[in-house]
Amino acid sequence: MERLQIANLPTPIQKLDRLGEELGVNLYLKRDDFTGMEISGNKVRKLEFSVADALQQGCDTLITAGGIQSNHCRATAAVAAKLGLGCDLIIRGEIPNHFEGNLFMNKALGARVHLISPEESREEKMDEIVENLKSQGHKPYLIPVGASNAVGSLGYAAAIEEITEQENKLGIHYDTVVIAVGSGGTYAGLWYANQKQGAKRKIHGFAVDNSADTFVETITEILKEMYLNDGLAAPEEYKDILINDQYIGTGYAKSTHEELAFIMKTSREHGFLLDPVYTGKAFYGMVSEIQKGHFKDANNILFIHTGGILGWTHKQREMALKSI
Ligand SMILES: *Cc1c(COP(=O)(O)O)cnc(C)c1O
């Protein structure tokens, strides 16, 4: 599979000495929030493969969809602008009063933003945009939500190779990898490459929206397609897809006071900022599970910070007013 080189890779791995000591574990942070500025976060790793595929097919316009503060839409807009491609984003949700954070960035990066209400059909809008583009002589390429299909997920299969190289260089084996799970592609890519290496690591995903059962199903579907694309025999059973759905809180992109307070405490005491939608929930979940003694057999835990800092902007007012 073709791959573009857009992200700043390899991303650094930092040891969280003081927090690890406090929790009685060896804890490391892989800074995938450093993959870029406009394109920062985990989506750019996936887009290196999705957009390579688009170019290979001779497409000139990227179309994708997401919520109001979608990091994926913003990263797609940035990659399109960088490569001189068109970009149409279908963004669904309550239309906000201000174009903040990712929503502003989409505009700044020149994407055509199509806002639709929660009741409107994403598919109908998509068909309409595709027809329109075709009638103007363009060739659109559809990227699914989160770029979470077998092509996009290759970005995180490649991340496992990157981690392996870093392990060899540093002489450390990260036997436990932890990430947030939103549409499943990141998890699927990590699991796939890890499985190919003989399942050396445990991969723990913390769901930020759907139930664990739903995610196991979604991830399994992506994995089946990955094996198929590689011409490899798929396993009979997809074992050890470890998803914890106990830290979703009040729902997708909604934050409890406790979650926000945790994020602020972490940044204050340890000098790095988590985002409220994904990494904040996952990191909170991981720390809580460590405190409950559930990561006892882990020698070295690697939390992948998947970015999302721009999604934070729209919460600033709420945060400031709550004086957390
Ligand atoms: C999209 C996203 C995730 C989740 O990745 P999926 O592949 O959709 O599961 C995690 N963190 C951030 C910041 C994201 O934007």
Side-chain angles (χ1 to χ4, degrees), residues 42-43 46 71 146 148 180-187 275 278-279 306-308:
N42 62 336
K43 299 308 178 314
K46 300 178 181 183
N71 296 306
S148 282
V181 180
S183 58
T186 302
Y187 190 97
D275 83 290
Y278 297 96
T279 56
T306 41

Side-chain angles (χ1 to χ4, degrees), residues 150-272:
V151 176
S153 299
L154 288 172
Y156 271 87
I160 282 285
E161 316 272 322
E162 182 180 306
I163 290 167
T164 306
E165 276 176 32
Q166 288 176 311
E167 285 181 331
N168 292 338
K169 216 179 268 175
L170 299 167
I172 298 171
H173 176 57
Y174 305 106
D175 55 0
T176 302
V177 176
V178 182
I179 50 144
V181 180
S183 58
T186 302
Y187 190 97
L190 293 171
W191 191 96
Y192 184 70
N194 185 54
Q195 189 68 19
K196 272 191 174 171
Q197 290 184 349
K200 290 200 295 196
R201 307 170 188 85
K202 277 195 175 154
I203 302 177
H204 290 271
F206 283 87
V208 302
D209 42 23
N210 295 315
S211 71
D213 286 349
T214 308
F215 270 126
V216 170
E217 220 170 279
T218 308
I219 290 164
T220 306
E221 285 311 307
I222 301 171
L223 288 169
K224 280 183 186 163
E225 211 185 316
M226 292 180 86
Y227 281 105
L228 194 68
N229 287 356
D230 275 348
L232 296 172
E236 304 250 311
E237 254 189 300
Y238 291 80
K239 274 189 290 192
D240 292 328
I241 297 179
L242 309 171
I243 308 290
N244 184 321
D245 60 7
Q246 299 304 300
Y247 296 91
I248 299 170
T250 41
Y252 180 71
K254 295 193 180 120
S255 301
T256 62
H257 181 88
E258 209 178 350
E259 285 166 18
L260 294 178
F262 173 83
I263 292 170
M264 295 306 267
K265 181 176 185 293
T266 306
S267 51
R268 213 163 46 224
E269 293 180 0
H270 302 287
F272 67 94

